[in-house]
Each structure stands twice: as C-alpha cells, then as structure tokens.
Amino acid sequence: MVTVALTIAGAALVLLAAAASWTVARAALAACHEPSRALAAAVATAYFAVVPAEVARVVDDLRVGLAVATLIAALVALALRRHNAKAPPPPTDTTTSTSTPTPSIDAPAPSSSGTRLVTPATIVTAAAMACLFALVAACAFRGNFYDEPIHWPTILQIARGVVPPRIVVEPDTIHHYHWGFDAVAAALVDAGLDVENAEDVAQCASFALLLAVAWVLGARLGGGRVAAGIVAVGVPLASSPLLWPLVDLGPLSLPSPYPARWSEPLQIAQPPAMFFFQHPQGFAMPLFLAVLLVFLDDKRRPARRVVGAVFLGVVALAHVVY
C-alpha cells in the first residue's frame, strides 16, 4: 500500500510539475509576444528537466524538487500574467490597410469559410510525420542503441534524490555528465514507470518536440504549410550521401575517398537520424532550434531577448557536464 501511495503521489507531482512548466512557459513567451505552442513546449521541457533536479541537489529528494518547481512555476506564471495584462499590446504593422491579430505560426490557417483548411500536402505531411514518429517509437521501445543501459543507474539515482549522480562502482565519485535528459526520465520513474520505459517515453517526447519545433522553423523560413512540412520531415532525416563514407557502419561501411583525419569522431557532422538515440544529443536538438527561434526577432524586442537569454541558460544547465 505504501508503494502504491508513493507511486500515485509521484505521478500526481509529475503531472502538476508538467502543467506548471507549461503555464510558466506560455506566460513567459506571451510577455515577448510569441504565440507558438511548440516553442512553449520546448521552454516547458527545459524547465522540467532542470529546476526539479536542481532543487533535489539541495534537498536530496526529487519529489520535493518537483513540488518546489511546481510552486516556483506557478508563482512566476502568476506574476507574468499580471505583467502581461498591464503591458501595452504588441505593435502592429502600419504598412497594411487592416489590423488583425497575429495567429500562432504553427497553428493551421483558417479557410475563407471559417473552417480549417486541409490540403493534400497537409495530409501527406501529417502522414510522413506520423510514420517518422512511429518508427522512432518502435526503435525506442524495441531496441537499445548506443549506451542506453548506461543511463539507467543515473536515472535511478536522480529518481532517488542522489543529485549529482555518482559512478556506481565508485560511489564517492560524481558522474560528470550532461544529465538533463536523465532528469526527465527520473521524474517518469517517480511517476511509476520502470527505468527502461521511462527512458523510452522521454526519448519519444524529445522526438515529438523535434518535429513540432522543426515545423515552426519551416513555417517561419518558408512562410507556409508546405515549407513547414518539408522542414519538419527533413530535419530528422538530414544527411548527405557525401557523408556516408565517413561513418563507420561495420561491414556496411563504404570506402572513403577522404583524408583519414576526416573520419575522426569530432570531425564528422552528425546526422540527426543516426545520432538521435544518443540521448543528450536527441534531447538537445529541439531545444537548440527553439532557442534559435526565440532569438530570431526582426523587431529586436528587449523582452524577447530577456526570455531568450533565460531559456538559453536553462538549456545550458540541462546539457552542462556537472
């Protein structure tokens, strides 16, 4: 009974912390007139990955860290909402004859009849993104790539409040690693998942976030759904046949016409499709794109720079080698 009660309490804390992270992210982006829900999800993910674990570093309990992070997020969101309510409306473009609210760039545009427009391109894009996500989910739950089992002790330690985590065979030695991803998985362990499934769920969430943020990037670069869909599908698959001879694929490796130094690990541009299951890298991909999009502002608004700087700092904490 005690174990069941703790699991229920942990699941409730994770849900509350996730909701509070989303709320404070939406309020922070609203302060700089950023309506994108995908970017809000990225900001919320970074907050959820960092703040509970940093509190646990002090109190030695991740559940307490989740509770404190929820309280902090709620208070900050309340303050930001009050600030946003008093702030002047965003400046409008005076060069146009009509003034209409700017919709979220990642929201489907309405048709002239008031219903959402669904085109063949939208259907194809959605199907391609769904297939990509299904493929990644299947790979995540059915296989172990790279060093997945090596993350399990770190995830379990953070879930038990051991922050920073230690090297298992040398308990007095801190495990110096970028463990923001592991902190997310640790929260899912506290919610009742076993460590392997918690890792896989966090990985799938990272990929879904990558698709969403890549969609926003494409929409802002190309100005429409077609461009958004191309980038959303293209970013996870980005690579080049010119790169393939540089990558060690065992018996499938191709003869390389390039200098041997180009095949050194630090010299190779890492394609997302190949290295996404290196968990810290896969976790960083959508957060990096989101930081880039927050800073891309042609109006140079100070509030956007402040939010972007804080967001960048939180992302850096999620990937710093402690």
Side-chain angles (χ1 to χ4, degrees), residues 243-289:
L243 171 71
W244 297 344
L246 296 174
V247 181
D248 182 8
L249 299 175
L252 299 179
S253 297
L254 300 175
S256 175
Y258 307 118
R261 185 174 180 274
W262 289 17
S263 295
E264 296 176 4
L266 295 180
Q267 301 295 326
I268 301 174
Q270 301 175 348
M274 181 174 293
F275 288 92
F276 185 81
F277 285 95
Q278 287 276 15
H279 294 89
Q281 294 188 37
F283 187 61
M285 290 176 189
L287 298 183
F288 165 77
L289 288 180

Side-chain angles (χ1 to χ4, degrees), residues 156-190:
L156 291 172
Q157 287 183 73
I158 298 174
R160 295 187 178 105
V162 182
V163 181
R166 309 297 173 124
I167 297 176
V168 176
V169 295
E170 296 182 20
D172 294 331
T173 304
I174 293 175
H175 186 196
H176 295 288
Y177 195 68
H178 27 257
W179 38 263
F181 173 88
D182 292 341
V184 174
L188 297 177
V189 169
D190 273 352

Side-chain angles (χ1 to χ4, degrees), residues 113-126:
S113 61
T115 60
R116 291 187 174 183
L117 183 64
V118 178
T119 65
T122 304
I123 296 173
V124 171
T125 299

Side-chain angles (χ1 to χ4, degrees), residues 138-211:
C139 292
F141 282 95
R142 295 180 64 86
N144 289 322
F145 298 92
Y146 297 108
D147 54 355
E148 286 194 7
I150 297 177
H151 284 265
W152 299 344
T154 302
I155 293 170
L156 291 172
Q157 287 183 73
I158 298 174
R160 295 187 178 105
V162 182
V163 181
R166 309 297 173 124
I167 297 176
V168 176
V169 295
E170 296 182 20
D172 294 331
T173 304
I174 293 175
H175 186 196
H176 295 288
Y177 195 68
H178 27 257
W179 38 263
F181 173 88
D182 292 341
V184 174
L188 297 177
V189 169
D190 273 352
L193 296 180
D194 64 75
V195 64
E196 187 170 2
N197 285 330
E199 185 181 50
D200 294 337
V201 169
Q203 192 70 35
C204 292
S206 296
F207 190 75
L209 185 59
L210 176 61
L211 292 175

